[in-house]
Amino acid sequence: MNVSVVLFTADLRLHDHPPLRAANEADEVVPLFVRDQGVADAGFAAPNRLAFLADCLGDLDGGLRERGGRLIVRSGDVVDEVCKVVAETDADEVHMAGDVSAYAQLREQRLRRALESEGRRLHVHDTVTTAVTPGEVTPASSDHFAVFTPYFRQWSQVHLRDTLAAPRTVRVPRGVGSEELPSRSGVPGLSEGLAAGGEAEGRRRLSSWLRSGISAYEDRHDDLAGDATSRFSPHLHFGTLSPVELVHRARAAGGSGAEAFVRQVAWRDFHRQVLAARPAAAGRDYRTKHDRWRSGHEAQEDVRAWKEGRTGYPIVDAAMRQLGHEGWMHNRGRLLTASFLTKTLYVDWRVGARHFLELLVDGDVANNQLNWQWMAGTGTDTRPNRVLNPVTQARRYDPDGAYVRRWVPELAAVDGPSVHEPWKLRGLERAALDDYPDPIIGLSEGLARFKHARGRD
């Protein structure tokens, strides 16, 4: 009997899974997940993601068992552990999804060499973690698009593959050893409001949102208090939902909301094709502005206030507190907090990106790092010196202050839009807010410093 291995990475699902479909054509298949020591060594094993991962692995194992199989879990170096499983089962082939980070590309190269040296084959499948393969659409003069709009025009013309049904049966060789599945309960330091993970939860959320959320997405996705985003980002990060399926089902639903949502999926693919072409952008400026960021003692207190949600700007503080409580933040909040740190406080974008990766359950190298660079003006933004005014943005996207009052309870008694500028309150009203700080910097001061640093004053 011939045996194949399917190596799960950031694709923890059974529906629409090309590597699993291909591996399952063998007489027997080993569904394998390796708890990668390299991820922990690099500092990416954040508690919120470990807990969500545990949910996903438990759900994946349950789905496989319903089909007669089970998930094999190992820990260590991915290449070593895959080769051990291949040797134990005499597997002919290994199937896995392609990925774009420098680490993932190196892992793939190492695994291919190791398998080929033993006469085995590695098959890497595209469009598992993206809707369109990085590099499939390119401009005439470069290996990737540096501007989203022309990328989106070409991306929209790509014919997506059909979605694949989950397998009916999965036949796993007898006797393959596995570690116990990890448990969320064994992970310390979690955000209190961390959402549940797993494919079943992702598909439940998808069905609900297609029924009642997608039609209003264009009008409401920036509404901070309305919380009308899809919240699919953790499921896309862990691959419990398929980007290809999301685009197909959104287009089938139709309407302006669906079109706006598909555009967001394209943004995710856009960042992946940038990172695939420029892996160093995960830690270096994509387009340097030769910034001399404030750092060390000069910025220490400001960074602490930003992390704790104590900047004195309620909309910024609300978003940062949501991050701490949920391990997730509304996309508009991400833009506002990133602009405030990099443009108003003039602190290196890497400081903010690192803090986000410590907490975000959807902490994704491509999206996180390149969105931070976009907002810092060192990435793909065609207006690198734009600054988001937190008061103006608050009035626009949280007009009656409901979002702020939800996350900054010190301001719960302040009515209406006044909650966005509590420093303007007088007398007893301001005295009642003595636990809430004054702004750590004036917006005009921050803007002037940024313009001077960028040579635009």
Side-chain angles (χ1 to χ4, degrees):
M1 298 181 72
N2 66 319
V3 179
S4 290
V5 174
V6 56
L7 176 63
F8 289 92
T9 53
D11 50 351
L12 304 178
R13 64 180 186 269
L14 299 178
H15 291 81
D16 195 39
H17 198 290
L20 177 59
R21 167 64 70 88
N24 209 36
E25 291 178 0
D27 296 317
E28 295 180 323
V29 60
V30 182
L32 175 65
F33 180 84
V34 179
R35 301 172 71 180
D36 189 351
Q37 186 59 43
V39 173
D41 292 343
F44 286 103
N48 286 337
R49 291 195 294 281
L50 288 177
F52 199 92
L53 171 63
D55 292 350
C56 294
L57 294 178
D59 186 81
L60 180 59
D61 180 65
L64 287 166
R65 288 180 183 276
E66 290 174 358
R67 293 161 173 81
R70 61 191 174 100
L71 181 65
I72 306 302
V73 177
R74 301 284 179 93
S75 295
D77 176 79
V78 172
V79 174
D80 290 345
E81 295 304 318
V82 170
C83 289
K84 288 178 185 177
V85 170
V86 166
E88 291 169 18
T89 60
D90 195 26
D92 302 307
E93 300 177 338
V94 175
H95 296 262
M96 68 179 296
D99 206 343
V100 297
S101 71
Y103 180 81
Q105 292 181 45
L106 178 60
R107 178 182 63 194
E108 177 188 319
Q109 293 165 9
R110 290 178 55 227
L111 181 57
R112 186 180 300 280
R113 288 196 298 268
L115 291 173
E116 289 179 349
S117 71
E118 299 294 329
R120 319 293 183 176
R121 295 183 297 277
L122 175 66
H123 298 279
V124 178
H125 298 257
D126 295 327
T127 63
V128 182
T129 62
T130 59
V132 172
T133 305
E136 181 170 348
V137 295
T138 57
S141 57
S142 177
D143 58 354
H144 72 288
F145 278 95
V147 179
F148 176 73
T149 300
Y151 171 79
F152 182 57
R153 281 197 293 266
Q154 288 202 30
W155 182 95
S156 299
Q157 300 305 310
V158 173
H159 177 73
L160 302 186
R161 62 170 178 80
D162 294 335
T163 56
L164 304 173
R168 293 183 178 180
T169 59
V170 178
R171 300 167 298 279
V172 178
R174 297 180 63 182
V176 184
S178 176
E179 299 172 4
E180 289 186 9
L181 293 171
S183 168
R184 172 185 284 234
S185 63
V187 182
L190 302 184
S191 293
E192 184 179 344
L194 183 67
E199 182 179 16
E201 173 63 19
R203 297 192 72 79
R204 182 201 63 78
R205 181 175 289 276
L206 172 59
S207 295
S208 174
W209 193 69
L210 287 171
R211 286 195 307 270
S212 59
I214 193 169
S215 61
Y217 182 77
E218 182 180 33
D219 297 327
R220 299 190 59 211
H221 72 277
D222 275 324
D223 177 1
L224 284 160
D227 195 16
T229 66
S230 69
R231 287 191 178 241
F232 291 155
S233 56
H235 293 281
L236 284 166
H237 175 65
F238 285 93
T240 55
L241 289 176
S242 157
V244 171
E245 182 179 3
L246 289 184
V247 173
H248 276 307
R249 295 187 67 174
R251 285 174 172 168
S256 59
E259 292 172 4
F261 173 74
V262 169
R263 186 178 178 90
Q264 293 304 310
V265 177
W267 263 109
R268 184 175 178 274
D269 279 8
F270 172 76
H271 287 145
R272 274 164 169 67
Q273 59 95 39
V274 172
L275 191 64
R278 300 291 184 270
R284 300 178 191 169
D285 290 350
Y286 177 78
R287 289 173 174 157
T288 185
K289 299 300 175 185
H290 304 289
D291 288 292
R292 301 178 66 179
W293 303 105
R294 295 171 64 235
S295 61
H297 181 72
E298 179 187 10
Q300 180 178 337
E301 292 303 316
D302 286 350
V303 171
R304 180 181 293 113
W306 177 81
K307 288 182 178 180
E308 294 176 354
R310 301 277 297 171
T311 68
Y313 289 95
I315 199 70
V316 173
D317 295 341
M320 294 303 295
R321 295 186 195 190
Q322 181 182 29
L323 172 62
H325 181 80
E326 295 189 354
W328 184 88
M329 188 193 295
H330 192 289
N331 184 61
R332 178 54 53 175
R334 299 186 198 207
L335 296 176
L336 289 171
T337 55
S339 175
F340 189 83
L341 184 71
T342 59
K343 304 288 181 63
T344 304
L345 298 181
Y346 198 54
V347 171
D348 194 329
W349 64 266
R350 282 160 280 247
V351 173
R354 187 179 310 115
H355 181 67
F356 271 32
L357 284 178
E358 290 171 356
L359 290 171
L360 282 174
V361 66
D362 60 18
D364 178 276
V365 171
N367 262 8
N368 188 67
Q369 308 303 86
L370 292 173
N371 271 320
W372 267 96
Q373 289 222 52
W374 189 90
M375 201 64 255
T378 62
T380 61
D381 187 5
T382 55
R383 292 171 51 199
N385 298 305
R386 80 173 78 208
V387 179
L388 300 183
N389 182 306
V391 176
T392 303
Q393 292 276 307
R395 289 172 178 160
R396 181 178 302 166
Y397 299 115
D398 186 31
D400 67 358
Y403 179 75
V404 164
R405 280 187 288 275
R406 180 184 307 160
W407 293 108
V408 188
E410 305 97 299
L411 303 178
V414 182
D415 293 330
S418 297
V419 75
H420 297 308
E421 298 176 282
W423 60 87
K424 290 186 176 181
L425 299 175
R426 294 292 179 262
L428 293 177
E429 283 187 300
R430 183 65 184 99
L433 309 178
D434 57 356
D435 286 339
Y436 189 73
D438 288 327
I440 59 176
I441 188 175
L443 295 179
S444 58
E445 178 187 350
L447 182 61
R449 179 172 58 197
F450 174 70
K451 287 184 173 180
H452 178 72
R454 288 277 173 95
R456 298 181 66 83
D457 52 0

